[in-house]
Amino acid sequence: MNIFRLTGDLSHLAAIVILLLKIWKTRSCAELIYIACSYATVYLIYMKFKATYDGNHDTFLV
């Protein structure tokens, strides 16, 4: 695993956790656009473009 990819993944995870904590604390969904974009990204990866996935090039061992 590449250290830069790991750092990027961890920073993305931290950003999502911070966003969820802010929404929980302020009881407001003012950041709804960010959440919608995240769901759209997941949809595109796992539904729309699933056929383009090539497991031979996947280096994540989960």
Side-chain angles (χ1 to χ4, degrees):
M1 175 157 272
N2 185 342
I3 189 69
F4 296 110
R5 181 174 177 176
L6 178 63
T7 304
D9 290 342
L10 290 176
S11 66
H12 188 232
L13 177 64
I16 291 172
V17 169
I18 290 169
L19 174 66
L20 291 174
L21 287 174
K22 182 179 184 323
I23 290 172
W24 182 266
K25 185 176 180 180
T26 61
R27 305 269 192 234
S28 172
C29 286
E31 316 245 342
L32 186 62
I33 293 173
Y34 178 79
I35 294 171
C37 289
S38 295
Y39 281 122
T41 302
V42 170
Y43 167 76
L44 290 174
I45 290 171
Y46 289 108
M47 301 294 191
K48 185 76 171 169
F49 299 112
K50 185 176 183 175
T52 63
Y53 173 71
D54 184 9
N56 294 328
H57 293 100
D58 192 357
T59 59
F60 192 62
L61 302 174
V62 172

